[in-house]
Amino acid sequence: MSEREASGAGALDGARYEIVVGLEVHCELRTRTKLFCGCPNSFGDEPNTNICPVCLGLPGSLPVLNRQAVEYAMRIGEALHCQVRPSIFHRKNYFYPDMPKDYQVSQYDEPINVEGWLELPAGKRIGITRAHMEEDTGKSTHMGGAGRIGDATHSLVDYNRAGVPLVEIVSEPDIRSADEARAYVSELRAILVATGASDGKMEEGSLRVDANVSVRPAHSATFGTRCEIKNMNSLRSLGRAIDYEAARQVDVLQAGGRVVQETRHWNEDEGRTSSMRSKEEAYDYRYFPEPDLVPLVPDEAWRESARCALPPMPGERRRALAEAAGTDPASVALLVELDLDGLVVEAVAAGADARIALNRAANEVAADLEGARRLSPASFAKVVSMEAAAKLTATQAKQVLAALLAGESDDPEAIAARRGFEAMDTTALEIVIDEVIAANPEPWERFKGGDPKVAGLFVGQVMKRTKGKADGKAVTSILRERAGGG
Amino acid sequence: MSGGGALAIAGAVRSGERSARDVVEEHLRVIEAAEGDIHAFNLVLADEARAAADEVDRRVAAGEDPGPLAGVPVALKDNLCTRGIPTTCSSRILEGWRPPYDATVVERLRAAGAVAIGKTNLDEFAMGSSTENSAFGPTRNPRDPSRVPGGSSGGSAAAVAAGFAPLALGSDTGGSIRQPAALCGVVGVKPTYGGVSRYGLIAFASSLDQIGPFAATVAEAAVLLEVIGGHDARDSTSIPQPAPAVSAVLDEGVDGLRVGVVRELMDGIDGDVAAHVSRAADALSAAGAKVEEVSVPACVYGLTAYYLIAPAECSSNLARYDGVRYGMRVDADDITAMYGATRAAGFGPEVKRRIMLGTYALSAGYYDAYYGQAQRVRTLLIRDFENAYGDFDALISPTAPTTAFAFGAKTANPMAMYMSDVCTIPSNLAGHPAMSVPFGTGDDGLPVGVQVMADALAEPTMFRVAAALEEAAA
Ligand SMILES: [Zn+2]
């Protein structure tokens, strides 16, 4: 098989091929205890301290399902618009030293959540096939050799993570680019955090993403052969891995070859994927219903309470913000992501100018998230209103906002007064502008003739004469008025 | 035989008439004298039993309630976890392993004042019908040491039959309590699935396994069931109800009860054994029960379904014995070779046979034809039993097709051995309670057991019929 050179992994021949991606996201649930026992579910403790007979799979031990984990799984299902239904657990059988029972308890053909969707900020809907519950494995550290189990001299296993509850969210193959894949994971992460089910920490492994990648000729109706890519631990490596893998598959096809269905490992340092095991070598998991657990049939009251426990999801918040403050998609997405949308929506409700509120929040407030926690919607609304009423110039408003964020005071008027900010009234400003026009007859003719280059000269002169107290926008607007009227 | 049954011992210890320590010493002397010939135990817990007896005596002296089984020695099948005490399943693969916890039934026995006196021998991982599959050598039948005690709970049945302990616990997946009870001439009970917590029972086939009592009499078995039964939050399949009250109904008789003799379970049965079951039916009739023959058609598929479901579950349950965490490990060049070497050395031939059967039955492409089909048979069997229980309060049949057989008689032919459980398997597949009651001896002088079956949670009815049979056999 021809392996693509890492350095040669360029852009896909977009005119001729289309990327098709489906993602499998494993999300650790933030329950207090593990899925089937009372051991603490906590990250970073001394190895093998959060263990008991049940999560060690000792002979004779039996699992008891954690109610909170089911609650979180139902919330995830509701947030992803899934059908939340009665479900059962299966055993997935294969030998691996970090799996204490040599089977994983997981949901198979009757999962708790099916057939949902997630809407990307850009508006596209990605189908959710299923979001099922399962237990996590322990963690092996392979000593000696290249750090892989095959060539290690010995291995150490930490079972603290064994039995930690997971929800695996499987998307439909609806994703068409690395950018879309990143947007999907980032939106899914925001949803999972909003449900309270996850801390969303990719770097601690709370969220783990596998990608099924295939390519097909543009406009083809059938899917190509897919490869499953593992070991991407950031959004950036997810994007790189998909681009690399798609380009590799196109190379194979263009060379007249066939893509082999297999599992491939993403190597972050080398920037390439390599084969882990082929379809023929794939495990036969011998799934069968877990006889130690009974069917999970949440009653309607419980499902209703899971629905009620959900705060507004990021998509709804973006819609609410856009409705309140205008549709600048980038700012809207950013504000929701930074949890600043409430500030703007409340300020607008209190009468603040929507456009200015959105602009100041997306720039000045977003730049100081620490300070943003001190900023009350009322003070924010006030400073926005002062700017809108031209009581403060834009520059002055930014300074007042900075003082609010720094915690100097929570009264914008007091801050403005202390600094001696008082915006010039329009009449005074008009006098200064007329003086500047009179002093620059030749450039004024060019301005009137529509030469944009001279606008800066007039604004600069006015600012100089007013010692910066004039509002730049007001100056521009009066200049236009004068030019049009002349 | 030692002095008195379990109820007499508990009465004497509770009243202070006899010390629990004295009871234990007496049983240890019986064990000392005969265990060499019988080999009922993998481990006799002499020191632990003495300490537990002393604790019971202290409670009595302090005026505390020492429990309904105060000072009664109980033998535990060696697949029940006992904290700090080796628990082997009669397998090399668990060599050196000491559970860090007690099974729920062990806790409940201790709370009831019972004294664990030893861990009894079994077919490796409870797979077998003669206790010949133990890695530590077979147990002999106290009624005739040239015969097997049955299995897989042969050690527990033999311990009660030999007077080593008035009571014992076994586990029953396809007849592993009832069949050895029949062959050793004692009472053995498999409760309703979910009636007794499985927490701490080392799994063979999780959807079929149940822990249950052995005793010399129906009344003693009843008290033991009341002590170990009832809901346990640590077992998700445990029924959320208290243990059934069975002691109180034993003298109610069977007048007016409708009892069916299962036609399909009388086929292919040794003539002498079948004759005993007919006499048992007559005895119940004489006691006022309305006895008729009944057909439970799906019973004939029970054995086949069982030998797909049980091995399938066992192949998964026994995967964990891989040499990584506990028990035996045979070192090798890499992890896969280590798994193979450890399991090749650690498991006996019958366990390996069933792991292979079960692995095959669950394989991609075969699942539906084997495991799926077996589960459909199970559903069918439950439906057929439901029909029967529409017309009958209890059913009877032989417990085993023959009396105790000679060592080696069936070891060469696994199918012949599997046939030993043909009458007991249907109750496991249905999840229903069933028990074996001694009903005389056959022409060969060996005990014959009659099986009493009832609907789920109908233990009280089952015990009434068993008590009537016991009375008639006396
Ligand atoms: Zn645990």
Side-chain angles (χ1 to χ4, degrees):
Chain A
M1 182 196 316
S2 75
E3 287 291 296
R4 191 181 180 90
E5 286 303 313
S7 55
L12 189 66
D13 184 348
R16 296 186 51 206
Y17 287 96
E18 179 178 50
I19 305 183
V20 176
V21 178
L23 295 176
E24 294 172 11
V25 176
H26 286 86
C27 165
E28 277 184 0
L29 303 180
R30 317 172 30 229
T31 50
R32 197 176 51 77
T33 55
K34 293 185 182 182
L35 186 54
F36 298 123
C37 65
C39 290
N41 168 14
S42 91
F43 176 83
D45 293 350
E46 275 288 293
N48 296 315
T49 51
N50 299 329
I51 52 171
C52 74
V54 176
C55 57
L56 277 184
L58 292 187
S61 65
L62 293 171
V64 176
L65 185 58
N66 180 335
R67 199 180 156 84
Q68 182 65 51
V70 177
E71 170 94 22
Y72 282 148
M74 289 197 292
R75 284 195 207 169
I76 291 172
E78 294 289 351
L80 295 174
H81 313 94
C82 290
Q83 291 174 37
V84 181
R85 359 169 273 179
S87 58
I88 62 170
F89 287 88
H90 273 66
R91 290 187 185 175
K92 181 180 183 179
N93 295 284
Y94 62 105
F95 283 85
Y96 207 78
D98 65 15
M99 209 166 49
K101 302 180 291 288
D102 287 306
Y103 59 79
Q104 180 191 26
V105 178
S106 174
Q107 295 192 314
Y108 179 52
D109 54 3
E110 294 182 46
I112 184 166
N113 303 305
V114 296
E115 290 176 18
W117 48 266
L118 174 152
E119 189 175 284
L120 300 180
K124 177 175 173 180
R125 276 189 186 180
I126 306 296
I128 303 291
T129 315
R130 53 192 280 145
H132 69 256
M133 306 179 70
E134 62 185 28
E135 59 178 339
D136 209 344
T137 62
K139 233 177 163 169
S140 303
T141 310
H142 304 298
M143 315 298 283
R148 298 249 196 125
I149 193 166
D151 48 17
T153 56
H154 64 287
S155 299
L156 303 173
V157 193
D158 174 11
Y159 291 106
N160 281 352
R161 204 181 66 181
V164 162
L166 297 175
V167 165
E168 180 180 344
I169 300 126
V170 181
S171 87
E172 291 288 304
D174 290 346
I175 294 163
R176 291 290 175 271
S177 69
D179 281 347
E180 249 177 45
R182 280 197 301 262
Y184 169 86
V185 173
S186 141
E187 182 68 6
L188 179 58
R189 183 185 167 280
I191 290 171
L192 294 171
V193 171
T195 60
S198 168
D199 63 17
K201 291 178 182 164
M202 264 184 110
E203 64 282 7
E204 285 184 8
S206 307
L207 273 191
R208 305 195 284 273
V209 185
D210 300 333
N212 286 301
V213 179
S214 65
V215 297
R216 62 179 173 185
H219 313 301
S220 165
T222 53
F223 291 128
T225 305
R226 67 192 153 86
C227 291
E228 183 177 5
I229 316 300
K230 289 181 175 292
N231 194 45
M232 289 112 12
N233 40 28
S234 67
L235 284 181
R236 184 171 171 271
S237 60
L238 172 68
R240 287 180 69 204
I242 290 172
D243 277 337
Y244 172 84
E245 178 60 19
R248 183 191 72 83
Q249 292 181 14
V250 168
D251 283 356
V252 169
L253 295 178
Q254 284 183 334
R258 301 183 83 117
V259 174
V260 180
Q261 184 173 341
E262 60 185 353
T263 303
R264 298 180 67 87
H265 183 268
W266 168 249
N267 186 315
E268 180 72 28
D269 296 333
E270 293 175 15
R272 70 163 93 200
T273 64
S274 55
S275 181
M276 278 170 79
R277 55 177 176 267
S278 71
K279 193 186 177 189
E280 286 70 33
E281 299 167 294
Y283 298 115
D284 177 356
Y285 292 120
R286 290 174 287 120
Y287 281 101
F288 74 103
E290 162 61 290
D292 288 332
L293 291 168
V294 293
L296 172 57
V297 187
D299 58 27
E300 186 47 42
W302 192 10
R303 288 169 52 185
E304 180 61 29
S305 83
R307 265 194 292 277
C308 292
L310 288 180
M313 288 298 118
E316 277 172 70
R317 288 168 62 177
R318 282 193 301 269
R319 267 188 290 282
L321 180 59
E323 208 169 282
T327 48
D328 165 7
S331 304
V332 164
L334 177 73
L335 289 178
V336 169
E337 196 186 323
L338 299 178
D339 202 18
L340 296 174
D341 51 319
L343 186 71
V344 177
V345 172
E346 283 188 55
V348 172
D353 178 273
R355 192 186 48 80
I356 297 175
L358 191 66
N359 192 7
R360 290 287 163 262
N363 294 292
E364 285 71 32
V365 183
D368 183 4
L369 290 174
E370 188 79 10
R373 276 187 250 137
R374 273 190 287 267
L375 183 62
S376 76
S379 312
F380 181 64
K382 181 77 198 161
V383 68
V384 169
S385 298
M386 287 166 74
E387 183 182 348
K391 291 182 186 160
L392 293 174
T393 65
T395 314
Q396 289 168 343
K398 288 177 193 174
Q399 289 178 38
V400 172
L401 196 48
L404 285 168
L405 289 165
E408 183 183 312
S409 157
D410 59 1
D411 180 359
E413 284 177 332
I415 293 169
R418 214 170 295 149
R419 282 167 177 67
F421 291 162
E422 34 180 309
M424 303 186 64
D425 65 39
T426 311
T427 325
L429 185 58
E430 279 172 343
I431 292 168
V432 175
I433 287 170
D434 288 338
E435 285 170 9
V436 173
I437 289 172
N440 298 282
E442 191 270 334
W444 180 242
E445 284 311 313
R446 278 163 55 200
F447 184 84
K448 281 204 291 185
D451 182 350
K453 279 178 277 184
V454 288
L457 178 141
F458 288 100
V459 176
Q461 293 272 326
V462 174
M463 286 300 174
K464 200 171 172 187
R465 288 184 186 224
T466 60
K467 298 189 174 67
K469 283 182 187 174
D471 179 4
K473 280 178 194 145
V475 175
T476 312
S477 132
I478 294 168
L479 282 169
R480 287 223 183 86
E481 217 177 275
R482 291 280 190 277
Chain B
M1 291 287 284
S2 56
L7 306 182
I9 290 171
V13 169
R14 287 171 63 85
S15 67
E17 199 181 305
R18 239 189 125 177
S19 75
R21 180 63 180 264
D22 178 51
V23 173
V24 162
E25 296 297 353
E26 186 184 349
H27 282 86
L28 289 174
R29 280 195 295 276
V30 178
I31 293 169
E32 170 97 12
E35 169 64 1
D37 298 329
I38 303 299
H39 186 220
F41 292 105
N42 286 338
L43 184 64
V44 176
L45 300 171
D47 293 341
E48 293 85 348
R50 288 186 177 106
D54 290 348
E55 169 60 16
V56 171
D57 289 333
R58 188 200 61 72
R59 276 154 76 179
V60 174
E64 297 164 21
D65 184 347
L69 291 177
V72 179
V74 180
L76 303 172
K77 189 176 184 179
D78 202 17
N79 60 354
L80 296 169
C81 287
T82 41
R83 187 188 175 98
I85 294 168
T87 300
T88 67
C89 290
S90 290
S91 179
R92 299 256 175 239
I93 206 143
L94 275 169
E95 217 160 59
W97 183 62
R98 289 164 191 260
Y101 69 102
D102 279 325
T104 295
V105 290
V106 172
E107 284 181 356
R108 289 185 179 179
L109 280 176
R110 187 183 306 112
V115 173
I117 200 154
K119 303 296 293 286
T120 61
N121 198 13
L122 62 148
D123 287 297
E124 185 176 6
F125 280 99
M127 296 175 201
S129 307
S130 67
T131 319
E132 290 168 290
N133 294 334
S134 168
F136 309 130
T139 296
R140 294 179 177 278
N141 190 323
R143 300 301 181 100
D144 178 349
S146 72
R147 307 276 170 153
V148 302
S152 67
S153 311
S156 286
V160 172
F164 295 163
L167 301 176
L169 289 183
S171 65
D172 189 315
T173 307
S176 280
I177 291 173
R178 291 160 287 162
Q179 185 257 12
L183 270 49
C184 290
V186 298
V187 174
V189 183
K190 183 203 91 74
T192 300
Y193 185 79
V196 177
S197 170
R198 291 184 295 118
Y199 191 79
L201 165 65
I202 298 181
F204 159 19
S206 313
S207 75
L208 302 162
D209 296 343
Q210 267 296 281
I211 298 170
F214 283 97
T217 64
V218 172
E220 291 167 280
V223 173
L224 182 51
L225 178 59
E226 287 166 342
V227 163
I228 62 171
H231 184 244
D232 178 16
R234 288 177 291 188
D235 176 358
S236 305
T237 62
S238 164
I239 297 167
Q241 279 186 22
V246 281
S247 296
V249 302
L250 295 179
D251 56 4
E252 285 184 9
V254 293
D255 195 17
L257 286 186
R258 300 162 304 167
V259 178
V261 182
V262 182
R263 185 186 305 144
E264 289 78 6
L265 300 184
M266 296 294 275
D267 282 349
I269 300 301
D270 173 84
D272 191 24
V273 171
H276 277 75
V277 176
S278 297
R279 282 202 288 281
D282 294 344
L284 292 172
S285 219
K290 185 170 162 285
V291 184
E292 278 174 48
E293 198 181 66
V294 58
S295 174
V296 184
C299 277
V300 300
Y301 305 117
L303 194 75
T304 317
Y306 176 86
Y307 276 100
L308 290 168
I309 293 170
E313 293 182 11
C314 118
S315 72
S316 174
N317 281 329
L318 271 62
R320 70 192 67 190
Y321 308 108
D322 58 8
V324 172
R325 289 158 298 272
Y326 47 79
M328 177 189 268
R329 175 189 292 174
V330 178
D331 281 317
D333 286 346
D334 61 39
I335 182 110
T336 310
M338 188 280 279
Y339 287 153
T342 300
R343 291 165 67 83
F347 289 136
E350 182 61 25
V351 171
K352 287 175 187 163
R353 182 177 299 123
R354 297 202 195 188
I355 289 174
M356 285 189 285
L357 271 173
T359 303
Y360 187 73
L362 290 175
S363 303
Y366 296 100
Y367 178 92
D368 206 57
Y370 294 124
Y371 191 77
Q373 186 68 7
Q375 291 293 8
R376 284 187 283 277
V377 167
R378 203 168 178 178
T379 307
L380 203 64
L381 187 62
I382 291 169
R383 199 200 60 197
D384 283 1
F385 270 121
E386 255 170 34
N387 287 339
Y389 289 122
D391 297 326
F392 294 92
D393 300 300
L395 304 175
I396 64 169
S397 76
T399 303
T402 64
T403 55
F405 45 90
F407 287 98
K410 299 184 180 181
T411 44
N413 182 351
M415 272 313 293
M417 187 71 89
Y418 294 173
M419 285 302 290
S420 305
D421 295 330
V422 70
C423 298
T424 43
I425 278 170
S427 300
N428 296 86
L429 289 171
H432 293 163
M435 65 194 285
S436 182
V437 188
F439 199 80
T441 50
D443 298 338
D444 52 10
L446 292 167
V448 174
V450 170
Q451 178 174 232
V452 185
M453 294 164 272
D455 203 356
L457 297 171
E459 273 89 346
T461 311
M462 178 176 82
F463 269 84
R464 282 169 64 188
V465 175
L469 286 175
E470 183 177 55
E471 200 182 317

